[in-house]
Amino acid sequence: MHSNLVANFDSVVKRNPGETEFHQAVKEMFDTLSDVLERHPEFARLSVVERICEPERQIIFRVPWMDDSGKVHVNRGFRVEFNSVLGPYKGGLRFHPSVTLDTVKFLGFEQIFKNALTGLPIGGGKGGSDFDPKGRSDAEIMRFCQSFMTELYRHLGEYTDVPAGDIGVGAREIGYMFGQYKRITNRYEAGVFTGKGLEWGGARVRKEATGFGVAIFTNEMLKTKGDSLVGKRVIVSGSGNVALYAIKKVHQLGGVVVACSDSAGSVFDKDGLDLELLVQMKEVERLRLSDYSAKRGGLSEYHEGLNVWELAGVASAQVALPCATQNELHEKEAKLLVANGLIAVAEGANMPSTPDAIRVFQQAKILFAPGKAANAGGVATSALEMQQNASRQSWSYEETEKRLEEIMRGIHEACVTTAEEYGAPGDYILGANVAGFERVARAMLAMGVI
Ligand code: NDP
């Protein structure tokens, strides 16, 4: 590793003690940047790497709220505004009990380069809370979102910081937060949030965009080998926003998804998952995946407590799309997938594969798309939502989907050509990291020491 990267990594670890996910995200990035620093000594001379690793601003705040029985709870809210050289901070909010500053920093760091890779004018940020929405009533969710926004609103703005959803934050939560923002500021500033409802400033295809993009990217990778998703058996982890629409697009592109999961267990449906049923259960009825088999009339199996990747033996999948959460796919499961005919992996979630799992895929020459590239369709479509808000326009479904496809193909192309240019053909991790980093670093140099 280049000496500047070694020194900066030591410093990141020292200055951010215990933040192991943030360290992991930085290490994965640095592992691919040595040649960039050799070619551009000015990046080291002007401390670009050191500056990129330090968020421009980190906000931590108290979120008090009352549950339906009158009990008061106190959660912690976060927003890490990481880098704004390419545009306003942009990145989702996550509501999950596991959220810490570490989680938000790793996600915000990744977001800088992902957003740069889209070629659109968006900086990088991320936020969230350790609030657990599971089992909470609508009224409780609303009170929490209103309290969260009562502090966060002062840091947001369509030219400053534009959040969206992530784990535990969908259209309902965005509605409550946008409503509170509008009420406090007395401004209908549609471009301050993305992922809004279609009737109040949202964009068509935003809901589907991340999952659709993952499947489109996978198909593009397969095409480089003269292949496609047609006839491929696929395992998806998770059954949330990203997973559901990855499943939908895989089916549209001719593949068949045979397994998915939630945090309690996994479903195996050997002839292909019933997507309509899943969407109804998860988005409308807000049910758990354990109810799927009963509703499917015994055609599928539910495995309580099983990580979906452990189904690799029975599923015989050629494609794996991890779409749940970070570090969910480990070395042992990667080996099982490879032993059972895997040819491609595309990360719908952020950093879902552990470094050991990635090594297994690379050694086995599996096509591997990192989240930065494969799941960038969501934030790209958020940027399209901001464009529509700014121009007071609303594009058709077909028009928006066409643009999403073009953006995903563009990101794929950028990864392929950058990897070739750096002597690592087929290395999508290097391609995505370097293409994203170079764009951010050039803009930072142009703007002086800020
Ligand atoms: P959702 O909340 O809609 O769904 C998350 C899914 O993953 C659920 O099925 C959930 O199960 C499962 N899950 C969450 N945490 C865990 C865990 N610790 N162990 C096992 N399963 C878990 O979130 P999204 O679909 O929006 O996000 C999924 C991933 O995609 C995240 O990594 C996110 O950062 C990333 N992403 C999302 C984008 C978006 O546009 N939404 C954009 C780019 C990336 P359960 O319901 O049981 O908790």
Side-chain angles (χ1 to χ4, degrees):
M1 201 189 273
H2 190 286
S3 58
N4 182 262
L5 295 168
V6 173
N8 274 306
F9 187 69
D10 286 349
S11 161
V12 163
V13 172
K14 270 202 203 94
R15 299 183 75 195
N16 305 277
E19 296 182 355
T20 52
E21 289 173 341
F22 179 47
H23 303 164
Q24 184 183 337
V26 172
K27 174 85 170 39
E28 279 186 18
M29 191 74 198
F30 282 12
D31 278 343
T32 56
L33 294 183
S34 289
D35 285 353
V36 181
L37 294 198
E38 291 294 343
R39 287 188 195 189
H40 298 277
E42 68 279 17
F43 290 166
R45 199 172 62 246
L46 290 162
S47 301
V48 169
V49 174
E50 189 178 351
R51 285 191 275 151
I52 280 183
C53 291
E54 187 67 19
E56 290 175 13
R57 192 174 299 109
Q58 305 183 57
I59 302 145
I60 304 181
F61 51 100
R62 179 173 66 197
V63 191
W65 59 281
M66 194 178 274
D67 70 18
D68 289 344
S69 72
K71 184 174 182 307
V72 173
H73 300 256
V74 178
N75 283 100
R76 191 170 284 176
F78 304 93
R79 187 73 182 165
V80 173
E81 299 182 333
F82 228 117
N83 195 299
S84 61
V85 281
L86 297 179
Y89 309 107
K90 183 86 199 86
L93 296 170
R94 175 177 293 191
F95 292 169
H96 193 274
S98 65
V99 168
T100 61
L101 180 62
D102 179 21
T103 322
V104 180
K105 274 164 82 173
F106 112 68
L107 290 165
F109 184 75
E110 294 261 302
Q111 197 82 43
I112 304 171
F113 308 104
K114 178 191 311 192
N115 293 4
L117 203 50
T118 66
L120 296 163
I122 38 180
K126 202 83 189 186
S129 173
D130 57 0
F131 170 68
D132 187 357
K134 273 202 197 86
R136 291 292 170 196
S137 70
D138 252 5
E140 289 173 326
I141 300 276
M142 183 181 74
R143 284 196 294 275
F144 175 81
C145 288
Q146 290 180 339
S147 180
F148 183 80
M149 196 44 56
T150 301
E151 170 56 34
L152 189 63
Y153 89 94
R154 72 189 82 244
H155 306 287
L156 307 183
E158 64 177 313
Y159 297 108
T160 314
D161 187 348
V162 183
D166 191 83
I167 291 179
V169 178
R172 172 180 59 170
E173 292 72 21
I174 286 176
Y176 293 146
M177 287 190 275
F178 179 71
Q180 185 73 349
Y181 181 88
K182 187 183 78 58
R183 183 187 189 196
I184 296 174
T185 59
N186 193 29
R187 282 161 63 84
Y188 202 106
E189 196 183 327
V192 75
F193 255 99
T194 60
K196 299 181 294 296
L198 284 184
E199 288 168 341
W200 41 279
R204 293 185 178 81
V205 196
R206 174 60 190 91
K207 181 175 73 172
E208 297 88 342
T210 308
F212 275 18
V214 174
I216 294 166
F217 198 97
T218 308
N219 211 32
E220 289 299 310
M221 283 202 299
L222 290 167
K223 280 196 214 160
T224 64
K225 303 283 175 200
D227 204 345
S228 77
L229 272 170
V230 174
K232 298 291 179 298
R233 288 170 71 79
V234 180
I235 302 180
V236 170
S237 64
S239 50
N241 173 262
V242 179
L244 289 178
Y245 293 96
I247 296 172
K248 182 167 186 177
K249 188 50 94 181
V250 167
H251 286 176
Q252 284 176 4
L253 292 171
V256 52
V257 182
V258 293
C260 71
S261 61
D262 62 18
S263 57
S266 301
V267 154
F268 175 55
D269 201 332
K270 69 175 175 10
D271 298 324
L273 292 164
D274 181 340
L275 181 72
E276 238 175 83
L277 174 60
L278 275 176
V279 170
Q280 171 69 21
M281 282 177 54
K282 301 298 285 193
E283 283 188 353
V284 184
E285 300 173 43
R286 296 185 186 275
L287 295 175
R288 307 292 300 157
L289 208 51
S290 50
D291 299 310
Y292 175 86
S293 291
K295 290 193 176 263
R296 186 90 164 101
L299 288 170
S300 74
E301 299 165 12
Y302 176 68
H303 299 271
E304 180 84 31
L306 192 79
N307 179 329
V308 75
W309 308 115
E310 293 178 55
L311 289 169
V314 286
S316 310
Q318 292 88 45
V319 177
L321 306 179
C323 297
T325 193
Q326 65 269 21
N327 291 327
E328 52 150 310
L329 203 176
H330 313 93
E331 180 179 20
K332 187 176 110 221
E333 297 134 11
K335 285 183 176 158
L336 193 63
L337 283 161
V338 170
N340 283 281
L342 188 78
I343 57 173
V345 180
E347 296 187 326
N350 288 308
M351 212 168 75
S353 318
T354 64
D356 288 343
I358 294 174
R359 252 188 303 281
V360 171
F361 295 138
Q362 286 180 324
Q363 276 162 9
K365 304 244 175 306
I366 304 293
L367 290 165
F368 180 84
K372 264 185 221 93
N375 71 34
V379 75
T381 309
S382 276
L384 301 184
E385 183 172 333
M386 291 162 73
Q387 273 182 36
Q388 291 169 76
N389 292 148
S391 60
R392 306 236 189 287
Q393 287 179 331
S394 179
W395 306 339
S396 69
Y397 192 95
E398 293 69 27
E399 165 74 12
T400 320
E401 192 178 19
K402 196 169 114 240
R403 292 202 193 205
L404 169 64
E405 281 167 11
E406 279 164 9
I407 290 168
M408 292 315 296
R409 277 198 287 271
I411 294 172
H412 180 266
E413 186 60 28
C415 292
V416 169
T417 48
T418 307
E420 276 167 7
E421 200 189 304
Y422 276 83
D427 186 341
Y428 286 87
I429 302 180
L430 183 139
N433 286 354
V434 172
F437 176 85
E438 284 191 332
R439 187 169 170 226
V440 176
R442 280 195 302 268
M444 287 182 75
L445 282 189
M447 291 184 199
V449 179
I450 55 168

